[in-house]
Amino acid sequence: FVDRNATNRAGADSRDQIESGDADIIDDQGNVVEKNNPVGQPNHQWGTGASTNIMTFANFRHPLLESEGDRTAEFYLFGGISNRSSTTWGFYRRGLDGRNIPEIFPQGFLPTFEPDIFDGSIDAGIEGTWQGWNYDVSAGYGRNTFDFNLSNTLNASLPPSENQTEFFAGSTSFSEATSNLDLTRGVDVGLASPLNISFGGAVRFENFTQTRGELSSWIDGPQDAPSGSQVFPGFRPENEADLSRNNFAFYSDLEVDLTDWLLVNTAGRFESYSDFGETVTGKFALRVTPIEEVLLRGSISSGFRAPGLAQSGYSATSTNFVEDPETGETIAVEEGIFAVDSEPAQALGAVPLQEEESTNISGGITLSPIPSLSLSADVFYIDVRDRIILPGALSGPEVEEILADLPATAGRFFLNALDTNTQGIDITADYVAQVGDGSRLSLSGSFNYTDTSIEEVKLPEVLEGLDEAQLLDKQARLAITKEAPETQARLTGRYTADRFHSQVRLRYFGGVESALWVEPQSYSGKGLTDIQAGYDVLDNLNVTLGIRNVFDVMPDRMNETNQLFSVFQFPRASPFGFNGREVHGTVSLNL
């Protein structure tokens, strides 16, 4: 059971709130210096959401056949259920905002998003040995549902007498049923080790559904204002979806020590999907041990990621009001995320999503100069082709011309739009020493450098004349290439003695760049310190106390432009968040 309160690092809102000229005076730290209206500050919520989670998991095993000749069999069953209720918030709608109805919220409102998430899964199988083969046959089913519940909000297009402040805005669900068969055995072929043979297959069925919200959550009422519940307009009848697909796969894997110092591994996999076709992937790897203290490794492989059913079928539309260029009248138009097979998406050049493909190359070395010390370094290169993204809203005269005969003027849809490559290096070191009777000291360190670049942006043919920035704007481009730090490092020291244990960890996150709201901004690298200590009060009872981010390190503040009226002081792109110091205590009881 987890019950977590929210955190809030928002600054006060420096705008007029209820009427023109009533803005508070705010300093550069987001604090109120002079109060001129009754609205409590901060009126936004910017931090970690609240969450209440109930989770359980069970595992069961029972022998069916024990050592009857070379045959064994064991039945296993495992599964879990969890229910998560969380709370997050949208942008504050001020009292004088056109999206507010003063009769309902005189001072404005902070719309609240309260999804309920259910996860359930169960798997059963039999594993054992038969005539030299190890086998595992199993089947499983899992389901996730996501209910979109809203509170402290309204539908600005409905009059006060017909409005409400809580909505069910719809739901999505995903389910998956699988069955697997795996076979493995070693065969003596006269080499340094038996040839390990593995092969098997899998069949999977997937289903994605999207269900409409209640009528008032999406209806376009008589008021001249945006339709649907504020913060998240409900799913409409035309957004409903029920997509299914199945696939089957076969794989094989061979591994053998050709000599005492050379291991070779090769593998291949074939998959066939009912919605986009077949794909074949493979791997070849070597491990070389010229002497006991040195290990060299390298591999090359191809990979793929099937497009998710939700990426193909998810849609969410909303109504916006624009001026008709011919009549000058205000008209309602549809904008939003369109399903790939919808008319607006098809008109803009959408085609059925294909798999993302990749090529992965890596190599490394591990050294053990003394028994208590291990050093390793690995380099890697990953080339991803036809990466699936959700682009920015496609709009403008060219788009309006394409959509002229449809009830839409702008929108977006998932598409295979990018080729990217990622390269980097991982370095680790581990040292363990006995420092007294029953006392032990261990030190570990790691360093990572990762760089991702965009090689090509692919526009649908019908949109080739469109500005590429509409497909991949500066926010999205930086999110892919610069919002994760290129360098990260950790150094951890652990000391244990009898019933006592302690740990000190130093973490470093390199600088990042983000364009979360308005303009790109660079944020410097930061170092954090964590400490904890614990004691085994009883053989099965442990108490641990600790502090994460001991010195309360915060990311750089956003500049004045990106703060948006002093509200958003810290960047969401921070790799270590912006909650600051955290003190924690843990009591563990093993039954």
Side-chain angles (χ1 to χ4, degrees), residues 362-489:
S362 65
I365 182 173
T366 296
L367 304 175
S368 301
I370 57 177
S372 57
L373 177 63
S374 175
L375 307 169
S376 70
D378 290 90
V379 295
F380 55 88
Y381 174 85
I382 306 168
D383 177 62
V384 180
R385 300 173 296 281
D386 297 325
R387 186 166 170 171
I388 298 172
I389 67 167
L390 180 63
L394 304 173
S395 61
E398 301 95 334
V399 173
E400 291 181 13
E401 183 178 348
I402 295 171
L403 299 176
D405 297 329
L406 296 170
T409 61
R412 49 188 181 153
F413 52 90
F414 286 95
L415 71 163
N416 297 92
L418 298 183
D419 290 347
T420 66
N421 68 55
T422 300
Q423 53 196 339
I425 183 171
D426 285 310
I427 300 174
T428 63
D430 293 283
Y431 176 78
V432 179
Q434 298 294 327
V435 292
D437 293 340
S439 299
R440 178 175 173 171
L441 174 68
S442 65
L443 301 172
S444 63
S446 65
F447 172 82
N448 168 264
Y449 170 81
T450 301
D451 175 66
T452 296
S453 60
I454 297 171
E455 300 300 302
E456 184 179 359
V457 180
K458 304 172 181 179
L459 281 165
E461 289 184 15
V462 71
L463 297 175
E464 284 185 350
L466 198 67
D467 182 3
E468 183 182 290
Q470 279 213 46
L471 190 71
L472 192 71
D473 59 21
K474 58 188 176 183
Q475 285 91 346
R477 187 176 290 272
L478 288 177
I480 294 171
T481 60
K482 297 296 182 182
E483 277 195 354
E486 289 187 347
T487 57
Q488 296 187 55

Side-chain angles (χ1 to χ4, degrees), residues 123-201:
D123 286 82
I126 299 175
E127 64 178 6
T129 59
W130 179 77
Q131 295 188 358
W133 288 93
N134 296 310
Y135 67 87
D136 187 342
V137 57
S138 64
Y141 176 80
R143 180 176 176 83
N144 166 274
T145 61
F146 194 111
D147 293 336
F148 293 76
N149 303 312
L150 310 175
S151 66
N152 200 50
T153 186
L154 50 73
N155 182 338
S157 71
L158 294 174
S161 60
E162 300 176 20
N163 228 304
Q164 60 194 74
T165 58
E166 295 184 355
F167 299 86
F168 170 69
S171 66
T172 60
S173 71
F174 180 78
S175 60
E176 181 177 282
T178 61
S179 57
N180 301 272
L181 172 64
D182 299 295
L183 299 170
T184 304
R185 74 171 299 169
V187 179
D188 189 356
V189 291
L191 296 173
S193 72
L195 172 66
N196 189 73
I197 302 172
S198 298
F199 64 90

Side-chain angles (χ1 to χ4, degrees), residues 16-147:
D16 296 338
Q17 296 295 316
I18 300 174
E19 58 186 18
S20 179
D22 72 349
D24 295 331
I25 306 302
I26 311 298
D27 66 18
D28 58 5
Q29 301 294 303
N31 301 309
V32 176
V33 176
E34 180 180 328
K35 190 69 180 163
N36 295 318
N37 61 69
V39 177
Q41 296 291 347
N43 55 7
H44 284 73
Q45 185 82 21
W46 187 241
T48 304
S51 181
T52 302
N53 307 334
I54 300 175
M55 301 165 283
T56 185
F57 202 87
N59 184 36
F60 172 78
R61 303 183 75 90
H62 182 72
L64 301 177
L65 188 65
E66 296 187 66
S67 299
E68 186 176 308
D70 64 349
R71 293 179 295 169
T72 62
E74 185 175 52
F75 172 76
Y76 62 86
L77 175 72
F78 59 88
I81 294 176
S82 69
N83 191 83
R84 292 169 284 166
S85 299
S86 58
T87 304
T88 57
W89 295 267
F91 285 76
Y92 190 83
R93 273 60 167 170
R94 295 170 295 153
L96 51 68
D97 195 309
R99 298 168 295 177
N100 179 42
I101 299 176
E103 293 92 329
I104 299 177
F105 294 109
Q107 297 185 14
F109 63 97
L110 183 64
T112 305
F113 186 39
E114 299 178 324
D116 285 324
I117 306 168
F118 169 83
D119 280 292
S121 66
I122 186 168
D123 286 82
I126 299 175
E127 64 178 6
T129 59
W130 179 77
Q131 295 188 358
W133 288 93
N134 296 310
Y135 67 87
D136 187 342
V137 57
S138 64
Y141 176 80
R143 180 176 176 83
N144 166 274
T145 61
F146 194 111
D147 293 336

Side-chain angles (χ1 to χ4, degrees), residues 208 210 235-236 238-241 243 309-320 333-351 353 389-395 399 402-403 406-415 463:
F208 167 77
Q210 184 171 330
F235 295 138
R236 304 180 177 192
E238 59 266 30
N239 298 138
E240 291 195 310
L243 282 70
L309 287 178
Q311 291 177 316
S312 296
Y314 178 85
S315 65
T317 53
S318 60
T319 301
N320 283 334
V333 297
E334 301 302 310
E335 295 182 358
I337 302 172
F338 300 123
V340 172
D341 63 354
S342 68
E343 282 191 84
Q346 294 282 305
L348 293 172
V351 296
L353 295 177
I389 67 167
L390 180 63
L394 304 173
S395 61
V399 173
I402 295 171
L403 299 176
L406 296 170
T409 61
R412 49 188 181 153
F413 52 90
F414 286 95
L415 71 163
L463 297 175

